[in-house]
């Protein structure tokens, strides 16, 4: 059984299409969709409940805490962490199961953006290379329950770079597989900012992280560098 865990906070504008596409591609499969909400004030909880998802309200707001809480409520043998505005390749369920049967216990997908911007196509191209720098939570990250219990949860004191930290630990302790299919990722961050601004902001944050900057310093810097959704952090 596959447990799909999606952290949300005021995602009513995008979450319905994500859940609908998941249901359509999982007919006849053993799965559950867990929405781990951070206290949305819009229609996210009501909407996702009506669409057949298992909705839980996380006691801790923040993607790391919400994903951990969602996983704690999961019944599956494999956890698949997915962002609210991302949709995996149609046969992702079979691909994940086949990968686990081949002896891998964690992994992710490549990236494809939901727009035709040439620069974003270049970004997406590089995600075919299995280096940590090109891996992110928006690609969808799967891990067996057994490995999850060994590696540990997302670090709840992290509000930025939490995916990078978690994937790095998977690489060290698990057998990671980059599946050569792409998750469709929303380009809304790039729509609200220029491609260059996003690239420079990402590079800045990665450098700060590697130099040991605090979470507060990184979050504050990111907000200063980019105009982004109010519910991003």
């Amino acid at each position: 059984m596959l447990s799909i865990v999606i952290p949300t906070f005021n995602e009513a504008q995008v979450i319905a299409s994500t859940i609908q596409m998941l249901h359509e591609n999982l007919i006849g499969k053993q799965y559950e969709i867990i929405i781990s909400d951070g206290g949305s004030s819009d229609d996210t909880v009501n909407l996702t409940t009506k669409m057949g998802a298992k909705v839980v309200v996380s006691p801790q707001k923040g993607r790391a805490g919400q994903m951990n809480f969602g996983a704690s409520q999961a019944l599956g043998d494999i956890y698949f962490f997915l962002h609210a505005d991302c949709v995996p390749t149609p046969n992702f369920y079979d691909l994940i199961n086949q990968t686990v049967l081949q002896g891998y216990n964690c992994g992710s997908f490549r990236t494809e953006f939901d727009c035709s911007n040439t620069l974003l196509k270049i970004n997406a191209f590089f995600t075919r290379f299995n280096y940590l720098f090109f891996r992110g939570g928006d690609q969808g990250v799967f891990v067996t329950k057994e490995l999850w219990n060994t590696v540990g949860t997302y670090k709840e004191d992290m509000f930025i770079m939490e995916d990078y930290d978690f994937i790095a630990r998977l690489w060290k302790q698990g057998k990671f597989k980059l599946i050569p299919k792409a998750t469709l990722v929303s380009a809304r961050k790039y729509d609200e900012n220029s491609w260059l601004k996003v690239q420079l902001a990402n590079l800045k944050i990665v450098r700060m992280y590697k130099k040991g900057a605090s979470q507060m310093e990184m979050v504050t810097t990111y907000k200063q560098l980019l105009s982004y959704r109010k519910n991003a952090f």
Side-chain angles (χ1 to χ4, degrees):
M1 183 176 181
L2 183 68
S3 295
I4 305 167
V5 179
I6 306 176
T8 58
F9 184 68
N10 292 337
E11 293 285 12
Q13 290 186 344
V14 299
I15 192 62
S17 60
T18 299
I19 293 178
Q20 181 178 346
M21 294 186 75
L22 289 174
H23 281 317
E24 290 175 353
N25 292 321
L26 290 169
I27 295 174
K29 310 294 187 182
Q30 289 186 312
Y31 73 99
E32 61 179 349
I33 299 174
I34 301 175
I35 300 298
S36 186
D37 193 70
S40 295
S41 57
D42 66 0
D43 202 35
T44 297
V45 170
N46 183 51
L47 184 61
T48 52
T49 300
K50 288 181 178 179
M51 296 189 71
K54 178 180 179 179
V55 181
V56 296
V57 178
S58 174
Q60 180 168 337
K61 179 182 174 182
R63 199 152 57 197
Q66 290 172 226
M67 288 189 288
N68 288 344
F69 188 70
S72 75
Q73 308 298 305
L75 302 176
D77 309 296
I78 305 171
Y79 302 155
F80 183 40
F81 298 98
L82 189 68
H83 290 185
D85 60 347
C86 301
V87 178
T89 188
N91 62 335
F92 73 96
Y93 180 97
D94 292 331
L95 290 171
I96 291 174
N97 274 331
Q98 290 167 10
T99 298
V100 172
L101 288 174
Q102 291 169 359
Y104 296 93
N105 51 13
C106 57
S108 69
F109 295 82
R110 298 177 182 176
T111 294
E112 178 183 352
F113 289 98
D114 62 352
C115 71
S116 57
N117 183 289
T118 300
L119 291 174
L120 289 184
K121 287 184 177 181
I122 294 173
N123 278 24
F125 173 82
F126 283 99
T127 64
R128 71 188 57 218
F129 301 113
N130 197 18
Y131 297 105
L132 186 59
F133 184 77
F134 300 127
R135 305 275 65 82
D138 52 2
Q139 297 162 348
V141 178
F142 66 89
V143 55
T144 62
K145 181 179 180 179
E146 181 179 8
L147 181 60
W148 169 265
N149 290 333
T150 300
V151 169
T153 62
Y154 286 88
K155 293 181 179 178
E156 297 189 358
D157 59 346
M158 296 185 72
F159 295 93
I160 193 168
M161 297 294 291
E162 76 288 338
D163 287 320
Y164 186 93
D165 169 81
F166 181 67
I167 295 172
R169 283 185 281 133
L170 291 182
W171 273 43
K172 289 181 179 179
Q173 300 183 56
K175 189 176 180 182
F176 189 96
K177 170 71 172 181
L178 173 61
I179 297 177
K181 294 291 182 179
T183 295
L184 186 65
V185 177
S186 171
R188 57 183 176 175
K189 179 164 60 177
Y190 294 89
D191 292 337
E192 297 175 26
N193 302 272
S194 70
W195 176 87
L196 182 60
K197 284 182 67 175
V198 175
Q199 298 304 114
L200 291 175
N202 289 344
L203 184 60
K204 175 71 173 179
I205 296 304
V206 170
R207 286 177 173 173
M208 291 178 67
Y209 173 77
K210 290 185 175 181
K211 289 182 179 180
S214 71
Q215 285 289 301
M216 183 60 67
E217 288 175 318
M218 288 189 287
V219 169
T220 300
T221 300
Y222 200 71
K223 288 182 176 180
Q224 290 172 344
L225 293 173
L226 296 180
S227 171
Y228 199 32
R229 295 175 295 115
K230 292 180 180 179
N231 64 336
F233 299 101

